[in-house]
Amino acid sequence: MSFQIVGTGRANPALVLTNEMVSKLVDTNDEWIVTRTGINTRYVSTDETLLDLSVEAANNALNKAGIEGKDLDLIICSTLEGDYITPSLSCLVQREIGAVCPAVDINAACSGFIYGLDMADAYITSDKAETILLIGAEMMTRHLDWKDRSTCVLFGDGAGAVVLKKGNGLKSIKITAKGDDKLLVIGNVFCSSPFSNQPQTDPHFRMNGGEVFKFAVGSALRDVKEVMKKAGVTVSDVKMLIPHQANLRVSQFVKEKMGFSDEQLASAIDHYGNTSSASIPLLLDELVEEGKLSSGDIIVLTAFGGGLTTGACVIEL
Amino acid sequence: MTFEKIAKIIAEARDLDLSEIKMDTSFEDMELDSLDVIEVVMAIEEAFGINIDTEGDLKTVEDLVKLVDNLK
């Protein structure tokens, strides 16, 4: 007995940033961005805080699940960084949605949502919780170098949420980590201290794109094969492959190598960009809302990101 | 030898005529963008059983051949 997904929700900031708008900031153009990334527009936060987005996504998911905040046993927020270092994002979500349960943030970068599912699975199978709210909430635009055309075009902001209840939806799950601070890095900003001799790190998102691409497709292929085998499902059993939305070319590479059809590949990168650990729950909610996914469907999730971390799972909705 | 093997991999991956691929053919000539080059690199890594660092600037087939020869 593990969990089943009983509700999904999402929230986006109001501002839609088009490729044309980005090309006024850096030397790039719509065609270049679309062919290399698949991104047309992305949502960018202006006045909205990460808490605003998280609470909206959470309430949305709770409504669809037909439960209230007070019914929750645990809140997990996957985020690279909340609005504060402390209190955690999840604690403030707890207050805003009227929950009374424990709340904790986790950071596994873009793989965070699958890490959160793994954690939820552990809480539920050990009978420590029956109903869990898992949110993926990210504001990547707080860490972009808007002078670097190779990275500032890639990201967007948003929050996606799921309500998980004790059930038999999860068929298999796997998470991995391999420590690396070269391929994909966002530095931290610290206050100055008269005692510190540590150098300041660069708070902008930096990556070695080619190596990250190799890591992404290599790990996604490995993880997807493994969780499908463990779950005993074949490509034809799967309604949709839902990869972390980092780059359309990565998703298509995995789809082709695994033998999935175009219809089986879920994609929303064209209007979200990369929203880190929010990308999978955002897309999941959209697919459910559009009627493309329904109860009984088998989905395969896969993610990869900073850490380096990866994760994949098979879920029956 | 390395060149022939690499040319064959590129030709197969990109559906090109093998005779069109010369040592000094650039990826731009073959209409390969940076991510296409990475895909070719991955196929070469698999074929040669090596790990190629893609951080350097790869512009031509010769750049790839040299990289692979240095790793062999």
Side-chain angles (χ1 to χ4, degrees), chain A residues 106-136:
Chain A
I106 59 165
N107 174 1
C110 301
S111 314
F113 184 72
I114 296 179
Y115 265 70
L117 290 176
D118 189 65
M119 196 169 152
D121 172 47
Y123 267 86
I124 290 174
T125 51
S126 62
D127 283 327
K128 287 188 113 179
E130 277 195 12
T131 310
I132 296 175
L133 172 67
L134 171 61
I135 304 170

CSV table of all heavy atoms in Angstrom, one decimal, chain A residues 106-136:
chain,number,residue,atom,x,y,z
A,106,ILE,N,11.8,20.5,0.9
A,106,ILE,CA,12.9,19.7,0.4
A,106,ILE,C,13.5,20.3,-0.8
A,106,ILE,O,12.8,21.0,-1.6
A,106,ILE,CB,12.5,18.2,0.2
A,106,ILE,CG1,11.4,18.1,-0.9
A,106,ILE,CG2,12.0,17.5,1.4
A,106,ILE,CD1,11.2,16.7,-1.5
A,107,ASN,N,14.7,20.1,-1.0
A,107,ASN,CA,15.4,20.6,-2.2
A,107,ASN,C,16.2,19.5,-2.9
A,107,ASN,O,17.2,19.1,-2.4
A,107,ASN,CB,16.4,21.8,-1.8
A,107,ASN,CG,17.2,22.3,-2.9
A,107,ASN,OD1,17.1,21.8,-4.1
A,107,ASN,ND2,18.1,23.2,-2.6
A,108,ALA,N,15.6,19.1,-4.0
A,108,ALA,CA,16.4,18.2,-4.9
A,108,ALA,C,16.3,18.7,-6.3
A,108,ALA,O,16.3,18.0,-7.3
A,108,ALA,CB,15.8,16.8,-4.8
A,109,ALA,N,16.4,20.1,-6.4
A,109,ALA,CA,16.3,20.8,-7.6
A,109,ALA,C,15.2,20.3,-8.5
A,109,ALA,O,14.1,20.1,-8.0
A,109,ALA,CB,17.7,20.7,-8.3
A,110,CYS,N,15.4,20.1,-9.8
A,110,CYS,CA,14.3,19.8,-10.7
A,110,CYS,C,13.7,18.4,-10.4
A,110,CYS,O,12.6,18.1,-10.9
A,110,CYS,CB,14.8,19.9,-12.2
A,110,CYS,SG,15.5,21.5,-12.6
A,111,SER,N,14.5,17.6,-9.7
A,111,SER,CA,13.9,16.2,-9.4
A,111,SER,C,13.1,16.3,-8.1
A,111,SER,O,12.6,15.2,-7.7
A,111,SER,CB,15.1,15.2,-9.2
A,111,SER,OG,16.0,15.3,-10.2
A,112,GLY,N,12.9,17.4,-7.5
A,112,GLY,CA,12.3,17.6,-6.2
A,112,GLY,C,10.9,17.0,-6.1
A,112,GLY,O,10.6,16.4,-5.0
A,113,PHE,N,10.1,17.1,-7.2
A,113,PHE,CA,8.8,16.6,-7.1
A,113,PHE,C,8.8,15.1,-6.9
A,113,PHE,O,8.0,14.5,-6.1
A,113,PHE,CB,8.0,17.0,-8.3
A,113,PHE,CG,6.5,16.6,-8.2
A,113,PHE,CD1,5.6,17.2,-7.4
A,113,PHE,CD2,6.0,15.5,-9.0
A,113,PHE,CE1,4.3,16.8,-7.3
A,113,PHE,CE2,4.7,15.1,-8.9
A,113,PHE,CZ,3.8,15.7,-8.1
A,114,ILE,N,9.7,14.4,-7.6
A,114,ILE,CA,9.8,12.9,-7.5
A,114,ILE,C,10.4,12.5,-6.2
A,114,ILE,O,10.0,11.5,-5.5
A,114,ILE,CB,10.5,12.3,-8.7
A,114,ILE,CG1,9.6,12.6,-10.0
A,114,ILE,CG2,10.7,10.8,-8.5
A,114,ILE,CD1,10.1,12.1,-11.3
A,115,TYR,N,11.3,13.3,-5.7
A,115,TYR,CA,11.9,13.1,-4.3
A,115,TYR,C,10.7,13.2,-3.3
A,115,TYR,O,10.6,12.5,-2.3
A,115,TYR,CB,13.0,14.1,-4.0
A,115,TYR,CG,14.4,13.5,-4.3
A,115,TYR,CD1,14.8,13.3,-5.6
A,115,TYR,CD2,15.2,13.3,-3.2
A,115,TYR,CE1,16.1,12.9,-5.8
A,115,TYR,CE2,16.5,12.8,-3.4
A,115,TYR,CZ,17.0,12.6,-4.7
A,115,TYR,OH,18.2,12.1,-5.0
A,116,GLY,N,9.8,14.2,-3.5
A,116,GLY,CA,8.7,14.4,-2.6
A,116,GLY,C,7.7,13.2,-2.7
A,116,GLY,O,7.2,12.8,-1.6
A,117,LEU,N,7.5,12.7,-3.9
A,117,LEU,CA,6.6,11.5,-4.0
A,117,LEU,C,7.2,10.3,-3.2
A,117,LEU,O,6.5,9.6,-2.6
A,117,LEU,CB,6.4,11.1,-5.5
A,117,LEU,CG,5.6,12.1,-6.3
A,117,LEU,CD1,5.6,11.6,-7.8
A,117,LEU,CD2,4.2,12.2,-5.8
A,118,ASP,N,8.6,10.2,-3.3
A,118,ASP,CA,9.3,9.1,-2.6
A,118,ASP,C,9.1,9.2,-1.1
A,118,ASP,O,8.9,8.3,-0.4
A,118,ASP,CB,10.7,9.1,-3.1
A,118,ASP,CG,11.5,7.9,-2.6
A,118,ASP,OD1,11.1,6.8,-3.0
A,118,ASP,OD2,12.3,8.0,-1.7
A,119,MET,N,9.2,10.5,-0.7
A,119,MET,CA,9.1,10.8,0.8
A,119,MET,C,7.7,10.5,1.2
A,119,MET,O,7.4,9.9,2.3
A,119,MET,CB,9.4,12.2,1.0
A,119,MET,CG,9.7,12.6,2.4
A,119,MET,SD,10.4,14.3,2.3
A,119,MET,CE,9.9,14.9,3.9
A,120,ALA,N,6.7,10.9,0.4
A,120,ALA,CA,5.3,10.7,0.7
A,120,ALA,C,5.0,9.2,0.8
A,120,ALA,O,4.3,8.7,1.7
A,120,ALA,CB,4.4,11.3,-0.3
A,121,ASP,N,5.6,8.4,-0.1
A,121,ASP,CA,5.4,7.0,-0.1
A,121,ASP,C,6.0,6.4,1.2
A,121,ASP,O,5.3,5.5,1.8
A,121,ASP,CB,6.2,6.4,-1.3
A,121,ASP,CG,6.3,4.9,-1.3
A,121,ASP,OD1,5.2,4.2,-1.1
A,121,ASP,OD2,7.4,4.3,-1.5
A,122,ALA,N,7.1,6.9,1.6
A,122,ALA,CA,7.7,6.4,2.9
A,122,ALA,C,6.8,6.7,4.1
A,122,ALA,O,6.6,5.8,4.9
A,122,ALA,CB,9.1,7.0,3.1
A,123,TYR,N,6.3,7.9,4.1
A,123,TYR,CA,5.4,8.3,5.3
A,123,TYR,C,4.1,7.4,5.3
A,123,TYR,O,3.7,7.0,6.3
A,123,TYR,CB,5.0,9.8,5.2
A,123,TYR,CG,6.0,10.7,6.0
A,123,TYR,CD1,7.1,11.1,5.4
A,123,TYR,CD2,5.7,11.0,7.3
A,123,TYR,CE1,8.0,12.0,6.1
A,123,TYR,CE2,6.5,11.8,8.0
A,123,TYR,CZ,7.7,12.3,7.4
A,123,TYR,OH,8.5,13.1,8.2
A,124,ILE,N,3.6,7.2,4.1
A,124,ILE,CA,2.3,6.5,4.0
A,124,ILE,C,2.5,5.0,4.3
A,124,ILE,O,1.8,4.4,5.0
A,124,ILE,CB,1.6,6.8,2.7
A,124,ILE,CG1,1.1,8.2,2.7
A,124,ILE,CG2,0.4,5.8,2.5
A,124,ILE,CD1,0.5,8.7,1.4
A,125,THR,N,3.5,4.4,3.7
A,125,THR,CA,3.7,3.0,3.9
A,125,THR,C,4.1,2.6,5.3
A,125,THR,O,3.9,1.5,5.8
A,125,THR,CB,4.8,2.4,2.9
A,125,THR,OG1,6.0,3.1,3.0
A,125,THR,CG2,4.3,2.3,1.5
A,126,SER,N,4.7,3.6,6.0
A,126,SER,CA,5.1,3.4,7.4
A,126,SER,C,4.0,3.8,8.4
A,126,SER,O,4.2,3.9,9.6
A,126,SER,CB,6.4,4.1,7.8
A,126,SER,OG,6.2,5.5,7.6
A,127,ASP,N,2.8,4.1,7.8
A,127,ASP,CA,1.6,4.5,8.6
A,127,ASP,C,1.8,5.8,9.4
A,127,ASP,O,1.1,6.0,10.4
A,127,ASP,CB,1.2,3.4,9.5
A,127,ASP,CG,0.4,2.3,8.8
A,127,ASP,OD1,-0.3,2.6,7.8
A,127,ASP,OD2,0.6,1.1,9.1
A,128,LYS,N,2.8,6.6,9.0
A,128,LYS,CA,2.9,7.9,9.7
A,128,LYS,C,2.0,9.0,9.2
A,128,LYS,O,1.9,10.0,9.8
A,128,LYS,CB,4.4,8.3,9.6
A,128,LYS,CG,5.4,7.5,10.4
A,128,LYS,CD,6.7,8.1,10.5
A,128,LYS,CE,7.1,8.7,11.8
A,128,LYS,NZ,8.4,9.2,11.9
A,129,ALA,N,1.5,8.7,8.0
A,129,ALA,CA,0.5,9.7,7.4
A,129,ALA,C,-0.4,9.0,6.5
A,129,ALA,O,-0.1,7.9,5.9
A,129,ALA,CB,1.3,10.8,6.7
A,130,GLU,N,-1.6,9.6,6.3
A,130,GLU,CA,-2.6,9.0,5.3
A,130,GLU,C,-2.9,10.0,4.2
A,130,GLU,O,-3.2,9.6,3.1
A,130,GLU,CB,-3.9,8.6,6.0
A,130,GLU,CG,-3.8,7.3,6.7
A,130,GLU,CD,-5.2,6.8,7.1
A,130,GLU,OE1,-6.2,7.3,6.6
A,130,GLU,OE2,-5.2,5.8,7.8
A,131,THR,N,-2.8,11.3,4.5
A,131,THR,CA,-3.1,12.3,3.5
A,131,THR,C,-2.0,13.3,3.5
A,131,THR,O,-1.7,14.0,4.5
A,131,THR,CB,-4.5,13.0,3.9
A,131,THR,OG1,-5.4,11.9,4.1
A,131,THR,CG2,-4.9,13.8,2.7
A,132,ILE,N,-1.4,13.5,2.3
A,132,ILE,CA,-0.2,14.4,2.2
A,132,ILE,C,-0.4,15.4,1.0
A,132,ILE,O,-0.9,15.0,0.0
A,132,ILE,CB,1.1,13.6,1.9
A,132,ILE,CG1,1.3,12.7,3.2
A,132,ILE,CG2,2.3,14.5,1.7
A,132,ILE,CD1,2.5,11.7,3.0
A,133,LEU,N,-0.1,16.6,1.3
A,133,LEU,CA,-0.1,17.7,0.2
A,133,LEU,C,1.4,17.8,-0.2
A,133,LEU,O,2.3,18.1,0.6
A,133,LEU,CB,-0.6,19.0,0.8
A,133,LEU,CG,-0.5,20.2,-0.1
A,133,LEU,CD1,-1.4,20.1,-1.4
A,133,LEU,CD2,-0.8,21.5,0.6
A,134,LEU,N,1.6,17.6,-1.5
A,134,LEU,CA,3.0,17.8,-2.1
A,134,LEU,C,2.9,18.9,-3.1
A,134,LEU,O,2.1,18.9,-4.0
A,134,LEU,CB,3.5,16.5,-2.7
A,134,LEU,CG,4.7,16.6,-3.5
A,134,LEU,CD1,5.9,17.0,-2.7
A,134,LEU,CD2,5.0,15.2,-4.2
A,135,ILE,N,3.7,19.9,-2.9
A,135,ILE,CA,3.8,21.1,-3.8
A,135,ILE,C,5.1,21.2,-4.4
A,135,ILE,O,6.2,21.0,-3.8
A,135,ILE,CB,3.5,22.4,-3.0
A,135,ILE,CG1,2.1,22.3,-2.3
A,135,ILE,CG2,3.5,23.6,-4.0
A,135,ILE,CD1,1.9,23.5,-1.3
A,136,GLY,N,5.2,21.5,-5.7
A,136,GLY,CA,6.4,21.8,-6.4
A,136,GLY,C,6.3,23.3,-6.7
A,136,GLY,O,5.4,23.7,-7.5
